[in-house]
C-alpha cells in the first residue's frame, strides 16, 4: 500500500478516522501534494527534511488531537452528568459552571503552549480567546482580537478581492449548522491589510444540544505556496536564461498546432537553433564562461521573437523557436536574421569569440502532425545544416529521416560489434629518424562488418563519441593492444611501445588511471611499453585536473603523447606543466611541408617547442622522400606513414618487426653524428648499456675508468657522457667535474645505485650533472633520458651559432 491507500483505509475505519495523517515523501511534484491534502492529509512534508520542522509539525498535530479528544471526552462526560442530574437543576447548573471553568482552563492551557495558531469564538462567531501564535500570525495583539468578529479576518479570494458576506462565511455557517470544517485552505486578512494563505480547521463545541462556540486552528501555508510556485516555475522555465523549457515548449507547441491558420499561405514554423563550436568554449574557457555565452545568445534570440512566439531553451546549447508565419518563406528570412545576430563577436573573459549557428526548420502540417514529430524533424534539419559546414539554415526534407535511421541502425550494430568479435586492430609502425628502426606502433581500430565489409574509422568513431560507445570501444582497444604487445615480446620480438588513442569522453566517463593500471596488471606488459595518445581537446577540457593525471601516469611509467598537435586550442602555459613524452605533428601540416612555407614554419616551430620542453616529436602521414628529408634536417625524432608502411594486421606487423626491416636513411651532413660515452668499471654493465644504445643509432664509446674516459674525450667529439657514480681511483663525481671544466658542452649524466646518494649529492651540488639515473634502470626511460640529453646539446649548439632557439632545463631529474 502507498501512503494514499493507507490514508484512505484509515478514513474508512471509524476507530482510526480522526487520527491526523502527515505525508513525508521524496516526491516534490505539486500535483502529488495537492492530491494528498485533498484526500485528508493534515500536512505534506517533502524530503530532504529539517528535523526541527518535522518535530514541530508532529507536536502541533498531537496537541490539536489531544485538545479535540479532551473536548470530546468532556462533552461525553457532561452529557452523562446532565442525564443523571436532569431532575436537579441547581446541581446541573453547578456542574455546567464547573465544566465551563474546566473548559476555559483547558482552552487557556492549549492557547498558551501550542505553536500552531488557535483562537476560539462564542456561538455568535465573536472571538473570545486567542493564543500568541495566532495573534503573531495575523499581526495583532491578543487583546485586539478579543471581541473581534471572526469573519472579519476571514477572506474569500474573489476576483475583485472582496471578503465573504457574513451570512456566507464558512466559519459562521459551520457554527450555525454545527459543522466541523477540516483542513480548509483560504485567505485571512492580517492587521496590515496583507493577505495570508492559511490551512484551518474549525471544531464546534457543544454543551448538551447548546452551541457554546468553536475552536479554530490556523497554519501559515505561505511558504508552501511559494515553494509550489517555485516548483511550477522550475518545471516550466530554464534557470539560466529564464526562457521556457522543454516541458512548457511542448504545451505551447501543442496549443499552437490546435489553433486555426487564418492566412491562406500561413504556416507554423519550428526552428531548431544551435551554435556551432560551442563545445570548444566549454573545453577551453570552462562551464562558467559557457553559461555566460548561452545567456548572451539567449538575449540576442529574444530580440527576434514576437509576443505570440515561443522561444525555449532545451538541454545545453539547444534553442527552439515556434513562430506562426504569415508566409512559409518568411521562416528562412527569420533564420538568416538570427544567423547574422548570433555570429556577431562577443567578449568573454577578455577574449573575443565568434560562434556560427546552424538552424533547422520544420513546418506544421507539412513536416509533422504533432509536437514531438515537428521538433525531431527540425533537429534533423539543423544537423544537416551543421554537416554542410554550419553558419546556415536548412529546411527539413523526408530523406533526412532515412539517414537518421541509418545512423541509428549503425549505432546498434556497433554496440553489438564490440561484443561479437567484429572489431580488430591494425598497427602502423613508428620509426626512429636516427636509425630507421621500428620503435613503436600506433594501434588503430577497424570494424569488420558482416555485411558492410571493412568500415573505415571515420564512419564509426564519431558515432561512438556521440553515443558514449567510445568508452567500451576504447577499453577494448586498450586491452587488445596491451595483450598483443606482450605476446610479441613473449615471442622474442623486439621490445617496442604501442600507442593507444584516448578520447575526451573516456576521461569524462571513466577512471582512466584505474583502468590502465588494471589492464597492465592483466596483460603483464611493462608500463613503459604503453603510450597513451590524447587529443588537445581531451587535454584542455580540464587542464588542472589533467596535470594531476599526467603526473600519476608518469609515476606509473606510462608514456603520454599529444596527438594532432597544432589543430586544437593548447595553451603553452599548460603544455609546459604536462608530463608528456611526445608531440605528434598532425598530418595536415606534413602534407606539402617541403613546398608550403606556412606548413614548414609550423612544423619546425613544433619540433623546436617539443625539444625545448624535453619531448620527442613524431610526424604523422609521411608519404614522400622529400617530406622525410625535410623532417630529418630539422631534427624530427620519429615518423609514421605510408612511406614505410600502411597500418597492418597484428600477424603482418609481427612479421615486419621480426624481419628487421628498417627505413633507409641516406647520409645527411645536416644531421650530426651522435656520440655517447659510457663509463663503468663493471664490464657486464658496459655491455648491457652498449647493446641498448646501439639500437638507437648512436656511435657508442666505452671506458672502464675515469682515466680511460678522459683519454677518449681528448680524441673524440662526445655529446653525452654517462658515468657510474662509484668507481675506484676516480669516482663519477670527480670525473664529471673534470669533464665540466675541459668539455663544458658535453652533457653529463650519472648512473647511481641506491647506496651512492652521497656521491650523487656532491655531483648535484657542484653543478656537474644534467641528470642522474638510478640503478637498476628502466631501458625505455633511460633511452628517453639520453635522447633528451642529445636534444639539449643540439639546442645549446644551435643557440651558440645564432639560431633563434632557447632551452631552459627543468632542473636535475632522477630517472628510475
Amino acid at each position: 500500500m502507498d501512503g494514499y491507500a493507507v490514508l484512505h483505509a484509515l478514513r474508512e475505519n471509524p476507530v482510526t478516522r480522526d487520527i491526523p495523517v502527515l505525508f513525508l515523501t521524496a516526491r516534490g511534484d505539486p500535483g502529488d501534494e495537492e492530491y494528498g491534502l485533498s484526500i485528508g492529509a493534515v500536512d505534506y512534508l517533502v524530503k530532504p527534511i529539517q528535523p526541527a520542522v518535522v518535530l514541530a509539525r508532529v507536536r502541533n498535530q498531537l496537541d490539536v488531537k489531544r485538545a479535540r479528544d479532551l473536548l470530546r471526552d468532556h462533552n461525553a462526560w457532561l452529557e452523562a452528568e446532565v442525564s443523571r442530574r436532569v431532575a436537579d437543576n441547581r446541581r446541573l447548573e453547578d456542574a455546567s459552571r464547573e465544566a465551563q471553568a474546566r473548559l476555559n482552563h483547558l482552552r487557556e492551557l492549549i492557547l498558551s503552549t501550542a505553536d500552531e495558531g488557535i483562537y476560539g469564538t462564542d456561538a455568535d462567531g465573536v472571538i473570545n480567546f486567542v493564543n500568541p501564535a495566532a495573534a503573531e500570525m495575523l499581526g495583532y495583539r491578543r487583546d485586539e482580537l478579543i471581541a473581534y468578529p471572526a469573519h472579519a479576518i476571514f477572506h474569500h479570494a474573489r476576483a475583485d478581492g472582496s471578503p465573504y458576506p457574513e451570512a456566507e462565511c464558512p466559519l459562521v455557517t459551520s457554527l450555525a449548522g454545527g459543522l466541523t470544517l477540516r483542513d480548509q485552505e483560504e485567505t485571512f486578512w492580517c492587521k496590515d491589510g496583507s493577505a495570508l494563505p492559511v490551512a484551518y480547521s474549525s471544531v464546534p463545541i457543544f454543551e448538551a444540544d447548546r452551541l457554546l462556540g468553536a475552536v479554530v486552528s490556523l497554519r501559515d501555508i505561505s511558504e508552501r505556496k511559494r515553494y509550489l510556485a517555485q516548483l511550477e516555475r522550475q518545471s516550466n522555465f530554464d534557470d539560466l536564461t529564464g526562457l521556457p523549457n522543454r516541458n512548457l515548449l511542448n504545451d505551447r507547441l501543442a496549443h499552437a498546432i490546435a489553433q486555426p491558420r487564418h492566412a491562406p499561405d500561413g504556416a507554423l514554423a519550428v526552428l531548431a537553433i544551435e551554435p556551432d563550436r560551442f563545445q570548444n568554449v566549454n573545453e577551453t574557457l570552462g562551464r562558467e564562461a559557457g553559461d555566460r555565452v548561452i545567456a548572451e545568445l539567449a538575449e540576442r534570440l529574444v530580440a527576434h521573437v514576437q509576443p505570440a512566439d515561443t522561444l525555449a531553451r532545451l538541454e545545453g546549447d539547444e534553442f527552439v523557436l515556434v513562430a506562426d508565419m504569415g508566409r512559409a518563406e518568411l521562416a528562412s528570412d527569420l533564420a538568416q536574421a538570427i544567423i547574422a545576430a548570433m555570429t556577431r563577436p562577443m567578449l568573454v573573459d577578455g577574449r573575443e569569440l565568434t560562434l556560427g549557428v546552424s538552424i533547422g526548420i520544420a513546418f506544421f502540417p507539412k513536416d509533422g502532425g504533432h509536437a514531438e514529430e515537428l521538433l525531431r524533424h527540425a533537429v534533423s534539419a539543423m544537423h544537416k545544416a551543421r554537416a554542410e559546414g554550419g553558419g546556415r539554415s536548412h529546411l527539413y526534407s523526408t530523406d533526412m529521416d532515412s539517414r537518421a535511421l541509418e545512423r541509428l541502425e549503425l549505432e546498434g550494430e556497433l554496440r553489438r560489434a564490440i561484443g561479437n568479435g567484429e572489431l580488430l586492430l591494425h598497427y602502423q609502425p613508428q620509426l626512429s629518424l636516427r636509425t630507421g628502426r621500428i620503435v613503436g606502433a600506433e594501434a588503430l581500430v577497424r570494424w569488420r562488418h558482416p555485411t558492410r565489409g571493412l568500415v573505415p574509422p571515420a564512419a564509426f568513431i564519431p558515432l561512438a563519441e556521440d553515443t558514449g560507445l567510445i568508452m567500451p570501444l576504447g577499453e577494448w582497444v586498450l586491452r587488445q593492444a596491451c595483450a598483443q604487445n606482450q605476446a610479441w615480446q613473449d615471442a622474442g620480438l623486439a621490445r617496442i611501445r604501442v600507442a593507444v588513442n584516448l578520447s575526451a569522453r573516456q576521461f569524462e566517463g571513466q577512471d582512466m588511471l584505474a583502468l590502465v593500471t588494471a589492464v597492465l596488471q592483466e596483460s603483464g606488459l611493462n608500463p613503459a611499453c604503453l603510450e597513451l595518445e590524447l587529443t588537445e581537446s581531451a587535454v584542455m577540457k580540464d587542464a588542472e585536473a589533467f596535470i594531476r593525471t599526467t603526473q600519476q601516469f608518469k609515476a606509473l611509467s606510462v608514456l603520454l603523447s599529444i596527438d594532432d598537435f597544432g589543430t586544437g586550442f593548447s595553451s603553452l602555459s599548460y603544455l609546459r606543466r604536462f608530463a608528456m613524452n611526445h608531440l605528434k605533428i598532425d598530418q595536415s601540416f606534413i602534407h606539402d611541408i617541403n613546398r608550403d612555407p606556412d606548413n614548414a614554419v609550423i612544423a619546425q616551430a613544433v619540433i623546436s617547442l617539443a625539444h625545448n620542453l624535453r619531448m620527442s616529436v613524431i610526424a604523422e602521414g609521411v608519404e614522400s622522400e622529400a617530406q622525410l628529408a625535410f623532417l630529418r634536417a630539422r631534427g624530427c625524432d620519429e615518423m609514421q606513414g605510408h612511406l614505410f608502411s600502411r597500418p597492418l594486421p597484428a600477424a603482418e606487423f609481427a612479421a615486419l618487426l621480426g624481419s628487421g626491416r628498417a627505413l633507409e636513411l641516406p647520409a645527411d651532413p645536416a644531421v650530426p653524428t651522435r656520440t655517447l660515452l659510457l663509463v663503468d668499471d663493471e664490464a657486464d654493465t658496459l655491455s648491457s648499456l652498449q647493446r641498448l644504445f646501439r639500437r638507437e643509432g648512436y656511435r657508442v664509446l666505452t671506458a672502464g675508468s675515469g682515466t680511460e674516459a678522459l683519454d677518449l674525450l681528448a680524441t673524440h667529439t662526445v655529446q653525452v657522457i654517462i658515468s657510474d657514480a662509484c668507481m675506484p681511483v676516480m669516482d663519477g663525481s670527480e670525473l664529471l667535474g673534470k669533464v665540466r671544466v675541459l668539455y663544458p658542452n658535453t652533457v653529463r649524466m650519472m648512473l647511481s645505485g641506491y647506496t651512492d646518494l652521497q656521491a650523487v649529492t656532491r655531483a648535484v651540488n657542484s653543478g656537474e650533472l644534467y641528470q642522474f639515473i638510478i640503478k637498476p634502470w628502466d631501458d625505455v626511460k633511460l633511452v628517453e633520458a639520453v635522447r633528451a640529453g642529445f636534444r639539449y646539446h643540439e639546442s645549446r649548439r644551435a643557440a651558440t651559432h645564432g639560431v633563434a632557439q632557447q632551452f631552459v632545463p627543468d632542473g636535475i631529474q632522477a630517472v628510475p
Side-chain angles (χ1 to χ4, degrees):
M1 299 171 67
D2 61 10
Y4 303 131
V6 172
L7 178 57
H8 182 71
L10 291 175
R11 290 293 179 262
E12 286 188 338
N13 190 337
V15 178
T16 59
R17 179 180 301 153
D18 295 329
I19 295 177
V21 176
L22 296 85
F23 279 156
L24 181 64
T25 178
R27 297 172 61 179
D29 187 83
D32 292 334
E33 182 175 0
E34 292 173 2
Y35 178 66
L37 296 176
S38 70
I39 64 174
V42 299
D43 208 340
Y44 194 101
L45 304 179
V46 179
K47 298 178 183 177
I49 62 171
Q50 298 181 20
V53 173
V54 174
L55 291 175
R57 297 287 176 84
V58 171
R59 185 174 61 247
N60 291 344
Q61 292 300 328
L62 288 175
D63 289 341
V64 172
K65 181 66 166 61
R66 190 178 297 111
R68 292 172 179 171
D69 291 343
L70 289 173
L71 291 174
R72 182 195 60 205
D73 293 342
H74 168 70
N75 286 337
W77 171 82
L78 185 59
E79 288 177 5
E81 287 294 304
V82 170
S83 309
R84 286 191 303 112
R85 302 181 185 187
V86 66
D88 192 343
N89 291 333
R90 183 173 180 181
R91 291 177 60 192
L92 181 58
E93 292 175 1
D94 292 343
S96 296
R97 284 194 296 271
E98 181 181 351
Q100 189 62 49
R102 289 177 59 192
L103 180 59
N104 291 340
H105 176 72
L106 179 61
R107 289 172 174 173
E108 290 299 325
L109 179 63
I110 293 173
L111 294 175
S112 61
T113 59
D115 293 330
E116 189 173 12
I118 299 177
Y119 69 86
T121 72
D122 60 19
D124 296 324
V126 176
I127 298 175
N128 55 18
F129 62 90
V130 62
N131 74 337
E136 182 179 358
M137 189 183 301
L138 297 171
Y140 289 88
R141 297 193 312 272
R142 292 180 66 187
D143 61 303
E144 290 178 321
L145 286 173
I146 301 299
Y148 202 82
H151 68 83
I153 61 171
F154 190 84
H155 176 69
H156 180 243
R158 289 178 172 174
D160 60 1
S162 60
Y164 272 122
E166 181 176 349
E168 299 176 14
C169 178
L171 294 181
V172 175
T173 304
S174 68
L175 291 178
L179 302 177
T180 298
L181 299 180
R182 296 181 180 275
D183 301 318
Q184 305 294 306
E185 288 191 12
E186 287 292 352
T187 304
F188 278 67
W189 285 120
C190 294
K191 182 179 179 181
D192 61 4
S194 61
L196 177 71
V198 299
Y200 74 92
S201 296
S202 174
V203 182
I205 300 176
F206 293 90
E207 181 180 284
D209 293 330
R210 185 164 63 93
L211 178 66
L212 299 181
V215 173
V216 180
S217 63
L218 306 177
R219 181 160 51 89
D220 182 354
I221 59 171
S222 56
E223 186 62 35
R224 188 178 73 184
K225 291 284 188 182
R226 283 192 293 271
Y227 173 69
L228 292 176
Q230 183 181 5
L231 280 180
E232 182 179 4
R233 177 163 185 83
Q234 287 177 346
S235 65
N236 290 297
F237 291 90
D238 173 54
D239 289 338
L240 177 62
T241 63
L243 297 176
N245 61 14
R246 184 184 295 274
N247 184 48
L248 185 55
L249 171 67
N250 288 334
D251 289 344
R252 291 189 178 177
L253 182 52
H255 178 75
I257 289 172
Q259 300 304 306
R261 312 263 92 78
H262 298 295
D265 298 331
L268 182 67
V270 176
L271 285 73
I273 306 164
E274 192 169 308
D276 301 327
R277 302 182 302 279
F278 176 75
Q279 188 64 26
N280 292 335
V281 176
N282 276 343
E283 291 175 354
T284 56
L285 301 181
R287 295 286 183 182
E288 185 177 342
D291 286 347
R292 291 198 295 274
V293 170
I294 289 294
E296 170 68 20
L297 295 177
E299 290 183 8
R300 296 185 182 186
L301 284 171
V302 168
H304 295 272
V305 176
Q306 300 300 316
D309 298 344
T310 295
L311 173 65
R313 181 202 177 197
L314 308 187
E315 294 80 10
D317 57 347
E318 302 174 47
F319 295 91
V320 171
L321 174 60
V322 178
D324 210 337
M325 314 301 298
R327 300 193 314 277
E329 55 267 24
L330 293 178
S332 295
D333 296 339
L334 174 60
Q336 292 308 310
I338 290 174
I339 290 171
M342 298 282 271
T343 52
R344 291 200 311 269
M346 66 178 67
L347 198 64
V348 178
D349 292 343
R351 297 177 175 86
E352 188 176 90
L353 301 179
T354 301
L355 299 178
V357 65
S358 299
I359 301 177
I361 307 172
F363 293 104
F364 171 82
K366 179 176 72 73
D367 298 326
H370 55 82
E372 181 182 351
E373 190 176 23
L374 284 169
L375 287 172
R376 185 174 68 251
H377 290 170
V379 170
S380 294
M382 183 270 293
H383 287 312
K384 175 67 174 176
R386 173 159 296 164
E388 293 177 352
R392 66 191 68 196
S393 64
H394 206 290
L395 299 177
Y396 171 77
S397 60
T398 54
D399 65 328
M400 294 179 186
D401 279 345
S402 61
R403 288 195 296 270
L405 287 174
E406 182 180 359
R407 178 182 169 88
L408 190 62
E409 289 176 2
L410 192 64
E411 177 188 346
E413 292 171 355
L414 177 59
R415 194 178 300 275
R416 291 188 293 271
I418 296 174
N420 289 350
E422 298 175 19
L423 301 178
L424 68 157
L425 292 182
H426 285 188
Y427 299 87
Q428 184 167 42
Q430 295 175 331
L431 302 106
S432 167
L433 293 186
R434 285 281 174 180
T435 66
R437 293 173 180 170
I438 298 174
V439 294
E442 181 178 3
L444 301 168
V445 65
R446 299 291 186 265
W447 181 6
R448 188 170 47 210
H449 194 280
T451 58
R452 301 173 188 261
L454 200 62
V455 182
F460 68 89
I461 293 298
L463 176 64
E465 289 274 3
D466 293 342
T467 59
L469 288 174
I470 194 66
M471 287 181 279
L473 175 61
E475 183 174 341
W476 180 89
V477 171
L478 179 65
R479 292 184 185 278
Q480 289 293 116
C482 290
Q484 184 63 75
N485 195 7
Q486 184 60 43
W488 287 333
Q489 294 183 28
D490 292 342
L493 296 177
R495 176 174 163 175
I496 63 170
R497 67 176 186 268
V498 63
V500 175
N501 291 279
L502 298 182
S503 77
R505 289 289 298 272
Q506 287 177 270
F507 273 88
E508 289 176 351
Q510 293 176 287
D511 184 344
M512 290 308 302
L513 182 66
L515 176 61
V516 169
T517 302
V519 170
L520 288 172
Q521 290 175 347
E522 292 170 8
S523 64
L525 184 68
N526 187 315
C529 293
L530 172 64
E531 182 170 39
L532 303 178
E533 292 192 5
L534 307 122
T535 61
E536 290 182 85
S537 60
V539 170
M540 297 305 299
K541 199 167 190 67
D542 187 346
E544 291 295 338
F546 189 76
I547 290 171
R548 295 189 294 271
T549 302
T550 59
Q551 296 296 335
Q552 292 170 324
F553 277 122
K554 183 176 182 181
L556 194 62
S557 297
V558 171
L559 304 176
L560 298 172
S561 65
I562 296 182
D563 196 12
D564 301 336
F565 184 75
T567 61
F569 297 87
S570 287
S571 166
L572 296 183
S573 64
Y574 280 114
L575 185 61
R576 64 185 176 84
R577 298 168 60 193
F578 295 145
M580 309 301 290
N581 300 92
H582 303 100
L583 289 185
K584 298 190 73 175
I585 305 178
D586 185 66
Q587 59 184 353
S588 63
F589 299 119
I590 302 301
H591 182 66
D592 286 341
I593 192 173
N594 56 310
R595 301 173 184 172
D596 187 336
D598 292 336
N599 282 353
V601 168
I602 292 174
Q604 188 166 350
V606 172
I607 293 170
S608 175
L609 172 67
H611 288 171
N612 284 342
L613 293 176
R614 298 194 180 196
M615 301 181 198
S616 297
V617 180
I618 304 175
E620 293 183 297
V622 178
E623 299 179 351
S624 70
E625 295 287 351
Q627 294 170 351
L628 175 63
F630 186 92
L631 290 167
R632 288 190 70 214
R634 280 141 186 88
C636 184
D637 302 284
E638 298 174 15
M639 63 78 70
Q640 66 184 80
H642 287 187
L643 176 64
F644 181 78
S645 173
R646 60 180 175 83
L648 300 172
E652 293 182 32
F653 182 87
L656 175 65
L657 187 60
S659 71
R661 178 187 159 203
L663 186 68
E664 295 183 4
L665 298 176
D668 186 351
V671 181
T673 301
R674 288 179 170 180
T675 302
L676 172 66
L677 174 58
L678 304 173
V679 186
D680 200 301
D681 60 329
E682 296 182 3
D684 291 342
T685 301
L686 280 179
S687 297
S688 177
L689 290 171
Q690 192 173 20
R691 287 193 302 271
L692 174 65
F693 288 111
R694 276 181 177 167
R695 294 200 300 264
E696 291 292 302
Y698 306 142
R699 181 173 64 164
V700 179
L701 306 177
T702 60
S705 67
T707 302
E708 185 179 350
L710 291 172
D711 290 343
L712 287 172
L713 285 166
T715 56
H716 298 81
T717 300
V718 175
Q719 289 86 21
V720 177
I721 179 174
I722 302 178
S723 173
D724 184 39
C726 186
M727 297 185 297
V729 183
M730 183 187 303
D731 65 17
S733 179
E734 183 180 356
L735 169 62
L736 296 181
K738 293 181 178 181
V739 173
R740 180 172 63 89
V741 175
L742 296 172
Y743 310 100
N745 291 330
T746 299
V747 176
R748 299 169 297 279
M749 300 183 181
M750 179 180 286
L751 276 172
S752 169
Y754 292 110
T755 58
D756 301 325
L757 294 180
Q758 184 174 2
V760 173
T761 301
R762 186 168 68 252
V764 170
N765 290 340
S766 62
E768 294 156 6
L769 288 185
Y770 168 74
Q771 283 191 343
F772 69 86
I773 297 96
I774 299 172
K775 291 181 178 179
W777 63 83
D778 179 280
D779 285 355
V780 175
K781 300 194 76 171
L782 178 57
V783 167
E784 287 291 333
V786 173
R787 287 177 183 172
F790 276 109
R791 289 196 296 268
Y792 177 37
H793 179 276
E794 289 159 8
S795 65
R796 290 197 307 179
R797 180 175 177 274
T800 303
H801 288 78
V803 179
Q805 185 177 16
Q806 294 183 353
F807 184 91
V808 181
D810 294 334
I812 302 301
Q813 297 184 358
V815 180

